[in-house]
Each structure stands twice: as C-alpha cells, then as structure tokens.
Amino acid sequence: MSMRQDTLIPKIGVITDIRKDTPDVKTFRAVAPEGGVVFQHMPGQCAMLSIPGVGEAMFSITSSPTNTEYMEFSIKKCGCLTDWLHQMDVGQQITIRGPYGNAFPVETELKGKDLLFIAGGIGLAPLRSVINYVRHYRENYGKIDIVYGSRSKDDLVDFDEIRNEWANTEGVNVYLTIDREQEGWDGHVGFVPNYVKELGFSTDKTALVCGPPIMIKFVLGALSELGFDKKQVYTTMELRMKCGVGKCGRCNIGSKYVCKDGPVFRCDELEELPDEY
Amino acid sequence: MQAVEKAIKEKARALLADGTVDRVLGWEKGEYCYDNTPAVFTEEDIDRLVYNSFCGANLSKYLIAESKKEGRVLALLKPCDTYSFNQLIKEHRIDREKVYVLGVPCHGIADVEKLNVKGIKGIESIAEDGGRLTVQTMYGEKECELNDVLLERCLSCKGPEYMAADDTVEDPAPVELRKHDRFGMVEKLMQMTPDERFEFWRSELSKCIRCNACRNVCPACSCLKCVFDNDASGVSSKANVDTFEENMFHIIRAFHVAGRCTDCGECSRVCPQGIPLHLLNRKFIKDINENYGEYQAGADDSSPWPLVSYTQDDVEPGKMEGGKN
Amino acid sequence: MQKIAMDRISEFYSAMAAERALYLPLKKRGAVNFGRWQEGADVDIDALHTVKSPKDLFFPQSEDIVAFKMKGKEIEIDAPDTPDEPFAVFGVRACDARAMEVLDRVFLSEPVDTYYRARRENGVVITLACTAPEETCFCSVFGIDPAQPGGDVSTWLSGGFLYLKAVTEKGEAFLAGLTPLEEANDAEIEPAVRALEETMERLPLKDLDLTGIDGNATEKLFGSEQWAELSRACLGCGTCTYICPTCQCYDIRDFDTGKEIRRYRCWDSCMYSDFTRMAHGNPRKSQVERFRQRFMHKLVYFPANNDGMYSCVGCGRCVAKCPISMNIVKVAKALGAEARK
Amino acid sequence: MQIEKQETGEFKPLIVAFCCNWCSYAGADLAGTSRLNYPANVKIIRVPCSCRVNPLFILRAFQRGADGVIINGCHPGDCHYSTGNYYARRRMALLFSMLEYLGIEKGRTRVEWVSAAEGQRFAQVMNEFVETIYHLGENKRLEDLRCKR
C-alpha cells in the first residue's frame, strides 16, 4: 500500500555522521533509509527536521545539491529540539520534509558573476551549500571571495573544510576573522562588517550575506558604503515556521512568507517589506 | 446614566487639569450604542468617553499593565469591579500608588445576547429611561425592562458599595438592589443525579472552542505565563483535541482562581459560546463559604484567601458535598 | 427551481441525510453551531450565524496529520487515511460561502493541502439566503449578495417554503437524488429577494469605505500610529480568530499517547503571544504587532497575494463576539482616512 | 508515560497512588517489607509532600489511563513541613467536590493519611480503594480517547 502523500507528512532520514564543529554547533549527515539524499534541493533551500514528540523546526540544508550521497545540516544548540539533536548518536532516525523555499539564483542571476560571500557564525550554514555548488561548477562563475567571521576561532564552523578545501580552490579567496584577540590565532581580528570595509571589495561582485540579524544590518551598511547596489546583495532569513508552505500563517513579513517566497531575498526586495524584523 | 456620564467627565477633567492623574481608563463609544471598548483617554479626547448600561468590561485587569507605566491613571470602576481591583492589590499585581480609583455607580449591565434571545435583533439605537429600554431595530421598535436583559452577574449584584475608591461619583437615582439567589443554579445542579450533571457539563463544555477569552479577561488569571501555554507543562494546547481537554482546561482554570475569584462574571460575559462558566466558580465559592466560613474575595486588600490558609479541623476531602449521589 | 414546504422540512433533512452525512445549524444549550443531523435534532435555520463558521467542516479545529512510532533509534511513519466520508452542509450563508473561496485560495494553491482538498471534494455546500440580516452584517461591502448565496445548491426561504436551485453540477447531482421536492417557478422567490434587498439598504455598515485599504497599502498603514491605540484593550484571546470564517492559521503539535506520537494540526491565532516565538526571541513582541498582523493580513497582505480579494467577508461574527468590542470595522474606519491620504 | 493496561477480559482497575516521601511512601515500603498483599496495579508516585500534588497531576493520571487516584500524606499535624498536608486537605476537598459536581463518580479520587508506621493500614487502604474502583468500573468520564486503543 502506498502511503498517503502530503507535504506535511515527512520522510525518514538516518543520521550517519555527527561532526562537532564548535562548542555549540554540530553538523549532522543524513541519508534516506535506502541510501542517498532524502530529496533533491537547490542551494539555499531548507528542510523541516523533527524528532516526533520533541519538536519540528526549519533548518537550511548545508550540503550542496551536487552531493548526491547524503545531506548535511549544521545546527546550533539553542532550544528544545536542537538540544535533543545534539544529544543523539549516529544511527538515530529523524524525520525530514522539504525542500522548502526558494534558492539562491545560482543558475540565473549569479551565473558568470564574481561572488562575495559574507557570513557570521552559524550564518555560514546556508551559504556553505552555495559555496560548494559554485566550487563544483567552478567554470560557471567568476572570482569567489569568502569573508567569514565568528566570536572566536573555536566558533568557526567547518574550519577544516574552509582551510583544506575552499582555500585551496583556484580563484577562491578566503578571509577569516574573529571578534576578539585569542591565543593561537594569527589571522584578522575584528567584526565582519568592518573587515568587509577594510577589504574594500569592488562593486562588480554579487554579495551573499548571512549571519545574525545585527551583523546583516551592519554588513548591508558596509556594502552600501563600498558602493554596492541593493540589487547586488542577497540574504537569507529565518522566522518561526510550522508548515513550510505558506499556509500556517506565521512567518510572513508583510505579504511575503519567508518559508515560501524566501528564505532568500534580494536586498531591494527586502527593502520594500515592512520593517517588522 | 447620562447625568453620571457628565459627572464622570467633569471629575476626570478636573483631575487631569490639576495633575492628579495624567490619563483616564474608561470606555469609548463604539460603532453601535452597545459595543463600548475599554480605552485610555487624555485631556484631548476625554469627550469620547462613554458611560451607560453597556459598559460591561471590568477594567481592573488593565491596571496591571497601566500601573507599570509612568504617571498615574484614573480608573473608572463600577462597584463590583472594585472587588477585582482589591484582589489584585492583595496579590501585588497593581501598584496602588499609580492608580486613582473613581467609583462609578451602576444600575446593572445589559446583555446584548439576552436582547437577541428576546428577538430584539438588528439594533439601531437604544434609549434608556429609568429601568426601561426602548430599542429601535431594523425590524421595528421594541421595548424591554433593563432588569430582564441583565448580565448574569448583575442578577446577584454585590451592591452599590465600593471596596476601594479614592473618590466616587454620586448616583442621582439609585436602584433597588436585585437579590436573586446567587447559588440557585449551583444548588439545582447539585440536586441532579451524577449522570444528569455529567450530561449538563458535557453539553456545555463541548461547546468550548478554546479561544481563551475567559482566561484572558479574568482578573484572577494574571499569571505571566499560563500553564496551558507552557510547552514544558505537558498540558499546553491550543485546541480541545479530546473531550478530556475541554474538561481539564475548565476544571483547572476554575481551580486556579478558587478563593481568589470575586465572581465578577467576566468569563461568562465574554464566552462566545455562552458557556455558564460562573457556575464553576460559584461552586467553589459556595463550598468555601459553607466549609471554611463566608468569604468574599476582594472585599478587602490584605486578608489571606481560603486556599492559602487552613484550620486544624478542616473538612476531609470527599466529605464536602459536590452533588447528590 | 424546486421547493419543499417548511412543515415538511424534516422529510427533506431525512432525505439528505440518507444520501450523505448532513451537517446543519443545530442549537445546543443556547448556542447555534454546525452539527450532524439526526432524527429529532434541534435545527435552527433562523439563526443568522452559527458561532463557529462552517470552515470547521473543511478545516477542522484539530485533525491528525501523521503518527509516529518510536522504536529505539528508528521511527515508523503512519499517515491516516484521507477523509472520505461524503457529506452535505446545509444552511451556509452567502458570507460563509465566500469565505470558502478565500480558504480555497490558501489550501488549494500549490502545494495543495490534501486534507482540505479531500473534504472540499467530499462536501456538498447548500447555502441559504438571509432573511433577516443584522446591524453587524457588512457582506455587501465585499460585493457579496446574500440573496444569491452560491455554493453547490442555493436555497431561499419564502412564504412557508424552502426553494432550492442547483448552482454546480455537483449540486445538481445531489438534488436529483432527493425525492420529496416539488417543481417551482423562479418568480416565487422574488418577494423574499426584494424584501432582503430593502433590508440590506438599511444596514448601518453598508457604506463602510475600504477605499485605499488594499494590497498596496502596506507602506501607508504598517507604520500607523493608530495601531497602539486600537490594540490597547485587546485581550490577546483567540475569539475573533476562531469564529472567523476565513482565518486559517494553524499550529502543528505532537501528542504522546503513550503508544505513538500523534502529530496533529489545530487552529492557531496570530493574536497569541507564542504564535511567532522562537528559541531566540519573538519578532512580534507585544499585542500591538500581533493585532496589526491580523488586520493587515486580512485587509492588505491577503489582497496583495490574491488579486485584491480581502480575507474578510463581512459576516460580523467578530463584531458581535469580541469581548472588548474591537473589530475589523473599527479598525477599517480608523485607518481609512490614513490610507486615503 | 502510559500506564499499561492488562489485556485480560476481567476489569482490573489501575490506580495511581501519590505518596508523600516522609510518611506514606515509607508506609508503602513497610507494607512491602512486611510482605502484606495489595494489588500490583497500584502505581505509586513518590512526591515530596501531599501538597505537591497539583490537581493537574490527578487529571493527567486519569487522562493516561488511571481508573482511580489516591493521595496519601502524613496525618494532619504530622507533616514533615509542618503545614503542607493542611493545604493539601483544602485543595483536595475542593477539587473532589468539583469533580463530583461535574458528574464524575464520587469515590474515584481519595485522600488518606498514612504514617510511616502504618504498613498494615497502607495495604488495607489500597485493597479497599481498588475494591471501590472495581465497583465503579472503568474511568469513562475523564478518559482521553487518544490514549486508549
């Protein structure tokens, strides 16, 4: 008997690997019970993960769609469900539904462009999917700059991948920064928005920004100071979600639903929405 | 009541003018003659204040929030509202210093639902003359006695005395106190068989849509976070998914306000389904009166309420009469 | 057009109930709500409005969507069957029939909500023209004609008869199976329709002006200073939301029955403080924002996304039932001037 | 937690017994060590004091399948915290009266004062209570259908 289909009915994902990235961020690798990804997605899209009886919440898919073996989710411990996820072991099953929302326009507007990724803390999670996607189709994109910062060196997510793979990719420049001086860190120290200004990128790039709301706010300011137009900047949002398909009514900003019309917004679109968040 | 309204406005203006208060908590005239909304006025818009037989809302609960703000608020409280006010003072929920209570006389509050039940629908205007209402409707003129369409709570009015007031407005034409049997319906239910009682409550509580109006309007329900909203409590819910939840919500809500409920009747007034929720509260009040001594919550602002006190020879659980068997 | 004498109406109910489950306004302890008909039920078709709107039959206040069995580290997913009981709902007013079109916009747009769609397909909607609108009614503001109530079958009360006319094929098929009906002439309902038109002219809210309050008004209205005053007395209860025929926000929750985890969805209200609360904070911190959301959604956001269609049908339930008498009419009147500036 | 129902034909009432840590729980312990018989389907929940029993606990026990709920505390005057059971007594008296008022069968809930030395009495009370509930039958009026199968 085939099971009833509805977007609210999830699929099973099996956790095959758990990586501790930082003291409060873990990256979970999930596969379908029969192997492979649970569903196809595009970079920037999200999925609803749940442990029945504990909760269900929206997370960005951090693995690239080019990876057909498994999906990855980098999750920061900050509530009921995420606490539970952080405590589980390999082999645990979770439920997954999606993909939800739009994606970064990697096959349209971003194609052929020089890309500037700016991320703060766990904000790297949704961008990692895009970065690995454009690395995979390297020939389709121009120069790539990645500015990534966090509170301390221990809070940099995916540090090994950044250092060993991204930094060694042709045409990719990685700029790391941490908020405060720390022993054993000889890189840049300072907040991401200031670093972006210091680095002074040329305005022929398209920027993709994600991080805590306050960082996004100041990064947008910095980019605008550097002469970037709002149409050249994309960001991704997060709000409380239940359904993921624009029906349960809670994740709207004005008439736009973050789960359906977002989570990726171009900053000029965002500007038109009421200032609710 | 027009004279009273005029007197209220005069007092309010004077108190605003001399700086005793900087705003007034009262009722604002609505779309019709009966849908007055609680509102806060200043000197500029005090003219929009209204006082008539449709100012049902008990304003005391708003004072929890209002007394946290800067300045001092003039609160218009009807005699029965002052009980709720006192109880909130007792529970340290209102900053007394920041409230100036103006007691306003009341002749009973009319219930529009009861007008509708009498077939008075499509209301265009209502004129009040003494105890008589003349209602212009889209389907002709209708008349009725105010006494016949009073809110349930007014049928057992606590009387014209204010339990707390810094000043009062004089009643030019006091009405006789209506003395209905406050516990009549409770007793009637107690005389039924358990099966009949169960049937009665099931059919009443099954109407509940869990809108939380009873809880949110209740001056005794002043918890910052209700147990039914707390996901960690294991009982949080937004719908009565099972009949059990209908029962549980109302039993627990009534229990949580037992001994603190002043019987202000707001729960029954606001229930969109017309569930007689006051019958739950009154059962507790009756039990308390009969077993622990007469007690009126909010009659004073300091005495401990029955559930935070005890005597060594209190009645044993199971011995208190819940109803005929 | 067909008809049946009102003194034989229970035969009509029996005939309908023999075909499929029949829901209609029933009076229980003073409150009228849609309920399942059975012999001897206290039917009240004179009540202008049921307390809860008929949306409950298509989008129930709570429904199970999926169940999970937890076995060690494994999870077994069990989806309930699609609701398949054919039913008819009788006595739906024109405003509530329009409200279903509003809900269709939400639930039948991609990705389709299969729970709602199944009920919509299983249900025959039999509307009833109004006879005595009340002062709280303002359906005509939204272009609704209560004399042409729509649905699958429309019905009218006139001169001791109930007149019926199929509107859709589904309705035609349904009527064809009902035996106790007599043939009637369209002209027979004329007096009732005229009387209703005259009454509609007397409604105090018939001229409620929504000019300027539309899908383009976000910028003008969102930042209005009036929201704070309008929402001040709001209790933050869910009465307006739950009795509203068009409110469709829902919550998804889990219940542990001890044997399995049942995931159900239930109505939710944007008026509730936890509606948007997340682990790291709440973007709608106070009742002002929550109150604004409800009315902006109905009058601005929904039209912006749905070709100008308001998510209000003027049924007047919230006007009659709000505990503090604050409602969409007062909001629209207060904001109208600002929107037209 | 779900209380397991036995899948036999005969009705075996499920009882939840809240026992205060200082008296009744010790009393139950004594009943056990003295090898006194009381039905195995009495599920004991230890609470610090009888006044810790929130009315919600009682309702939830019924929701989850209990047929009867009994609260055991120290004898009035003997509370480890001096006054806890006096408050519990008032609360439970009012709550039980309310349940009865709602048409819930009288006797489905009970309060008994059992000291640490009264192992015999504990067993006797439990036997009596199970007997009472047996005659009242299954809890139907405060059941949650979701928790039934």
Side-chain angles (χ1 to χ4, degrees):
Chain A
M1 199 190 82
S2 73
M3 204 168 64
R4 169 170 187 194
Q5 300 287 311
D6 189 284
T7 180
L8 299 180
I9 300 175
K11 296 184 167 63
I12 298 283
V14 186
I15 301 298
T16 56
D17 184 55
I18 299 172
R19 189 175 72 226
K20 192 168 172 118
D21 282 322
T22 79
D24 58 2
V25 176
K26 280 185 177 180
T27 297
F28 301 91
R29 189 172 289 181
V31 300
E34 63 277 9
V37 292
V38 181
F39 46 74
Q40 305 284 322
H41 77 282
M42 286 301 282
Q45 282 193 299
C46 301
M48 271 286 198
L49 305 190
S50 157
I51 297 293
V54 180
E56 190 175 41
M58 192 71 102
F59 297 96
S60 56
I61 305 166
T62 42
S63 53
S64 158
T66 54
N67 181 340
T68 54
E69 283 169 40
Y70 54 80
M71 305 171 94
E72 280 189 334
F73 302 91
S74 293
I75 295 171
K76 183 171 174 154
K77 186 172 160 174
C78 65
C80 240
L81 175 65
T82 53
D83 275 359
W84 208 100
L85 293 174
H86 270 247
Q87 281 170 24
M88 70 185 179
D89 298 321
V90 166
Q92 175 71 45
Q93 296 192 341
I94 61 171
T95 75
I96 306 186
R97 58 188 177 96
Y100 293 122
N102 62 1
F104 286 100
V106 283
E107 288 302 318
T108 50
E109 279 99 327
L110 300 186
K111 219 161 182 178
K113 300 266 168 61
D114 287 349
L115 301 179
L116 166 59
F117 293 91
I118 305 168
I122 188 68
L124 186 67
L127 296 186
R128 179 175 167 238
S129 178
V130 197
I131 292 170
N132 283 329
Y133 185 89
V134 302
R135 281 179 57 237
H136 188 266
Y137 297 108
R138 193 64 202 88
E139 66 281 7
N140 290 344
Y141 304 91
K143 267 184 64 187
I144 294 170
D145 294 287
I146 301 168
V147 183
Y148 179 44
S150 68
R151 281 173 300 181
S152 71
K153 75 175 167 60
D154 306 316
D155 288 301
L156 290 165
V157 181
D158 297 311
F159 192 49
D160 288 341
E161 182 173 311
I162 295 171
R163 200 172 40 185
N164 302 331
E165 298 182 29
W166 297 1
N168 297 330
T169 309
E170 180 89 29
V172 177
N173 291 314
V174 179
Y175 308 93
L176 297 178
T177 179
I178 60 172
D179 290 355
R180 268 176 288 282
E181 293 277 0
Q182 194 180 5
E183 208 167 305
W185 178 261
D186 53 5
H188 187 271
V189 174
F191 293 120
V192 172
N194 299 334
Y195 195 30
V196 169
K197 271 190 272 185
E198 279 172 37
L199 290 165
F201 295 100
S202 57
T203 57
D204 50 359
K205 296 176 192 302
T206 303
L208 291 78
V209 185
C210 187
I214 188 76
M215 185 211 91
I216 296 185
K217 192 179 156 195
F218 284 103
V219 165
L220 296 184
L223 289 174
S224 141
E225 263 181 57
L226 291 176
F228 278 76
D229 189 89
K230 294 216 157 53
K231 285 188 179 140
Q232 288 171 272
V233 184
Y234 291 84
T235 186
T236 172
M237 315 270 303
E238 190 195 18
L239 283 174
R240 168 92 168 187
M241 296 171 193
K242 286 278 182 181
C243 70
V245 288
K247 301 187 197 295
C248 81
R250 70 199 67 223
C251 69
N252 67 309
I253 307 178
S255 57
K256 299 283 183 216
Y257 287 95
V258 172
C259 68
K260 193 181 77 181
D261 305 309
V264 176
F265 289 96
R266 209 168 64 190
C267 286
D268 57 319
E269 299 167 340
L270 209 54
E271 183 116 296
E272 284 170 19
L273 300 178
D275 182 24
E276 193 158 20
Y277 301 103
Chain B
M1 279 292 135
Q2 269 168 349
V4 175
E5 181 183 300
K6 196 165 162 254
I8 293 172
K9 284 184 182 167
E10 273 166 20
K11 287 224 188 227
R13 278 202 196 89
L15 289 162
L16 283 165
D18 69 14
T20 310
V21 297
D22 61 5
R23 61 198 192 280
V24 179
L25 175 64
W27 303 268
E28 184 173 5
K29 184 164 166 27
E31 196 58 41
Y32 313 105
C33 44
Y34 58 77
D35 62 334
N36 308 319
T37 299
V40 174
F41 306 90
T42 56
E43 236 157 331
E44 291 99 67
D45 56 3
I46 190 78
D47 286 334
R48 292 190 349 229
L49 187 141
V50 65
Y51 188 67
N52 58 27
S53 298
F54 292 93
C55 294
N58 177 350
L59 302 180
S60 55
K61 191 176 185 182
Y62 289 109
L63 294 170
I64 299 175
E66 286 301 323
S67 74
K68 287 197 172 75
K69 296 176 185 163
E70 285 289 302
R72 198 160 185 225
V73 62
L74 172 65
L76 306 185
L77 298 183
K78 304 186 290 290
C80 65
D81 302 341
T82 59
Y83 289 83
S84 310
F85 177 77
N86 253 354
Q87 185 63 29
L88 284 164
I89 293 285
K90 189 186 289 186
E91 294 166 20
H92 310 288
R93 304 311 305 273
I94 294 176
D95 183 350
R96 184 70 182 84
E97 295 302 306
K98 286 189 169 171
V99 182
Y100 186 97
V101 176
L102 180 61
V104 296
C106 171
H107 292 173
I109 301 295
D111 183 352
V112 182
E113 301 274 337
K114 283 195 177 167
L115 284 168
N116 288 344
V117 170
K118 279 184 165 293
I120 304 176
K121 296 179 181 183
I123 299 166
E124 288 174 331
S125 69
I126 303 176
E128 239 185 295
D129 184 15
R132 195 143 185 86
L133 302 178
T134 307
V135 189
Q136 298 298 333
T137 79
M138 291 161 53
Y139 306 102
E141 187 181 288
K142 310 267 169 80
E143 287 199 1
C144 70
E145 295 292 325
L146 175 61
N147 276 350
D148 294 341
V149 293
L150 288 175
L151 280 176
E152 179 60 39
R153 66 157 173 248
C154 303
L155 297 178
S156 40
C157 179
K158 295 186 192 76
E161 298 84 25
Y162 304 96
M163 297 299 111
D166 297 308
D167 192 6
T168 59
V169 171
E170 204 192 334
D171 190 348
V175 291
E176 209 174 307
L177 190 61
R178 302 168 195 92
K179 263 295 170 206
H180 288 248
D181 187 2
R182 185 183 180 193
F183 298 111
M185 189 57 199
V186 175
E187 266 154 22
K188 204 173 140 196
L189 277 165
M190 287 171 68
Q191 288 309 310
M192 291 179 181
T193 64
D195 289 352
E196 287 167 342
R197 286 199 300 272
F198 185 71
E199 185 44 44
F200 173 87
W201 283 111
R202 211 64 294 292
S203 56
E204 285 293 356
L205 297 181
S206 64
K207 294 188 295 185
C208 175
I209 57 172
R210 201 55 187 274
C211 65
N212 291 321
C214 51
R215 178 191 75 182
N216 290 14
V217 80
C218 176
C221 268
S222 57
C223 290
L224 290 179
K225 184 163 194 164
C226 176
V227 66
F228 290 106
D229 285 348
N230 182 356
D231 287 335
S233 72
V235 294
S236 72
S237 186
K238 283 179 179 158
N240 295 320
V241 182
D242 189 272
T243 56
F244 175 83
E245 289 191 335
E246 290 160 1
N247 290 333
M248 176 172 66
F249 178 76
H250 291 290
I251 295 171
I252 295 299
R253 207 192 78 76
F255 187 85
H256 281 182
V257 301
R260 303 186 297 119
C261 166
T262 64
D263 199 12
C264 78
E266 284 285 90
C267 46
S268 295
R269 177 181 73 85
V270 302
C271 179
Q273 293 276 29
I275 303 172
L277 294 164
H278 62 279
L279 293 179
L280 293 175
N281 301 324
R282 281 186 188 168
K283 170 63 180 159
F284 278 128
I285 295 170
K286 182 171 150 61
D287 281 346
I288 287 169
N289 283 348
E290 289 174 3
N291 294 284
Y292 308 130
E294 289 279 327
Y295 185 81
Q296 171 60 54
D300 68 277
D301 62 9
S302 54
S303 69
W305 56 92
L307 270 99
V308 295
S309 40
Y310 65 89
T311 64
Q312 290 186 348
D313 43 6
D314 276 342
V315 60
E316 287 295 325
K319 297 281 186 287
M320 201 180 268
E321 207 205 339
K324 208 178 75 179
N325 265 287
Chain C
M1 182 166 278
Q2 292 171 296
K3 68 177 174 185
I4 185 164
M6 281 307 286
D7 51 17
R8 290 179 56 208
I9 193 77
S10 60
E11 284 174 49
F12 173 60
Y13 297 151
S14 300
M16 286 198 285
E19 297 252 320
R20 37 178 72 213
L22 172 66
Y23 294 87
L24 72 188
L26 298 181
K27 193 172 200 167
K28 180 158 97 178
R29 295 223 173 254
V32 181
N33 286 284
F34 282 91
R36 189 161 180 168
W37 183 84
Q38 53 190 22
E39 204 66 53
D42 190 2
V43 180
D44 186 353
I45 57 168
D46 295 327
L48 182 68
H49 288 308
T50 49
V51 180
K52 266 207 278 193
S53 86
K55 81 175 173 189
D56 206 17
L57 295 169
F58 300 91
F59 169 46
Q61 182 154 16
S62 75
E63 72 180 309
D64 288 344
I65 50 176
V66 62
F68 306 97
K69 281 206 173 66
M70 313 295 281
K71 295 174 175 167
K73 286 181 172 179
E74 287 178 17
I75 301 174
E76 202 176 280
I77 300 181
D78 186 16
D81 296 333
T82 310
D84 58 358
E85 186 188 45
F87 69 94
V89 49
F90 170 65
V92 175
R93 300 290 181 184
C95 47
D96 289 346
R98 165 71 69 83
M100 286 178 203
E101 292 172 31
V102 174
L103 294 181
D104 286 351
R105 292 279 185 141
V106 177
F107 290 119
L108 299 184
S109 64
E110 281 302 321
V112 171
D113 187 288
T114 60
Y115 305 84
Y116 178 83
R117 182 179 61 193
R119 291 200 174 81
R120 204 70 172 93
E121 284 168 358
N122 295 339
V124 175
V125 177
I126 305 156
T127 57
L128 175 62
C130 298
T131 41
E134 291 173 14
E135 75 277 15
T136 52
C137 292
F138 56 109
C139 62
S140 61
V141 171
F142 302 98
I144 297 167
D145 179 1
Q148 300 300 331
D152 294 312
V153 176
S154 295
T155 71
W156 294 261
L157 283 168
S158 183
F161 285 91
L162 179 74
Y163 291 84
L164 305 95
K165 191 172 192 173
V167 182
T168 63
E169 275 176 31
K170 199 185 195 178
E172 213 157 298
F174 179 68
L175 279 190
L178 300 177
T179 42
L181 303 177
E182 306 163 36
E183 285 306 310
N185 191 322
D186 280 16
E188 289 175 48
I189 61 165
E190 278 306 308
V193 168
R194 258 201 312 279
L196 176 57
E197 277 165 4
E198 277 165 30
T199 313
M200 292 300 287
E201 279 307 304
R202 294 196 59 179
L203 290 178
L205 298 178
K206 72 176 193 314
D207 296 322
L208 179 67
D209 188 3
L210 293 179
T211 322
I213 306 179
D214 55 29
N216 301 318
T218 306
E219 212 173 313
K220 277 185 174 167
L221 299 183
F222 186 85
S224 168
E225 283 175 7
Q226 292 191 75
W227 292 115
E229 257 338 291
L230 288 167
S231 65
R232 194 196 286 259
C234 179
L235 300 171
C237 75
T239 306
C240 53
T241 319
Y242 288 179
I243 58 173
C244 177
T246 67
C247 269
Q248 103 293 327
C249 292
Y250 61 79
D251 193 1
I252 297 177
R253 304 175 75 91
D254 289 353
F255 179 80
D256 187 351
T257 67
K259 299 186 180 80
E260 60 182 13
I261 309 288
R262 283 209 207 166
R263 182 161 291 169
Y264 63 97
R265 71 150 162 224
C266 59
W267 296 354
D268 201 349
S269 175
C270 53
M271 290 291 199
Y272 289 163
S273 58
D274 65 347
F275 188 64
T276 52
R277 194 182 58 227
M278 297 179 277
H280 63 266
N282 192 345
R284 295 190 196 124
K285 287 184 187 63
S286 74
Q287 203 57 29
V288 182
E289 288 99 39
R290 304 192 271 266
F291 182 94
R292 172 175 64 192
Q293 163 64 18
R294 183 162 192 276
F295 295 101
M296 287 295 280
H297 180 241
K298 293 210 165 303
L299 299 172
V300 181
Y301 306 155
F302 198 88
N305 290 333
N306 293 282
D307 316 311
M309 182 192 232
Y310 290 104
S311 165
C312 173
V313 293
C315 72
R317 283 187 179 85
C318 56
V319 179
K321 294 289 187 185
C322 174
I324 52 116
S325 300
M326 176 46 71
N327 51 58
I328 199 159
V329 172
K330 289 184 181 176
V331 170
K333 284 195 173 179
L335 295 177
E338 216 166 321
R340 288 185 282 275
K341 237 186 266 169
Chain D
M1 190 191 78
Q2 175 73 18
I3 305 159
E4 290 297 323
K5 285 255 184 196
Q6 283 171 356
E7 304 296 334
T8 54
E10 205 203 355
F11 168 55
K12 284 198 174 151
L14 276 166
I15 307 298
V16 170
F18 291 99
C19 292
C20 102
N21 181 46
W22 306 99
C23 293
S24 315
Y25 193 79
D29 216 18
L30 181 59
T33 51
S34 317
R35 297 176 181 262
L36 297 168
N37 274 332
Y38 68 90
N41 38 2
V42 172
K43 309 293 178 195
I44 293 180
I45 297 176
R46 180 157 67 159
V47 286
C49 175
S50 51
C51 77
R52 176 64 184 90
V53 180
N54 182 323
L56 266 172
F57 296 179
I58 297 170
L59 295 185
R60 287 194 76 194
F62 284 122
Q63 177 184 31
R64 301 275 151 174
D67 298 302
V69 177
I70 183 163
I71 294 116
N72 301 287
C74 308
H75 285 273
D78 291 347
C79 177
H80 181 77
Y81 308 101
S82 321
T83 55
N85 52 6
Y86 285 127
Y87 294 115
R89 184 161 66 178
R90 281 207 168 184
R91 287 175 203 159
M92 293 309 142
L94 286 170
L95 178 72
F96 292 1
S97 171
M98 174 55 71
L99 292 178
E100 210 182 321
Y101 179 65
L102 291 170
I104 314 301
E105 305 92 337
K106 190 180 176 74
R108 221 176 255 296
T109 47
R110 187 185 291 185
V111 170
E112 286 292 343
W113 314 119
V114 178
S115 81
E118 295 175 320
Q120 179 77 44
R121 192 173 127 72
F122 182 84
Q124 189 197 334
V125 163
M126 289 305 146
N127 279 310
E128 267 176 32
F129 189 55
V130 170
E131 184 72 19
T132 311
I133 301 300
Y134 181 81
H135 289 295
L136 283 176
E138 248 185 281
N139 159 39
K140 284 282 176 200
R141 296 191 165 172
L142 276 177
E143 70 181 355
D144 188 324
L145 288 174
R146 294 172 296 178
C147 300
K148 301 252 164 167
R149 181 48 65 87

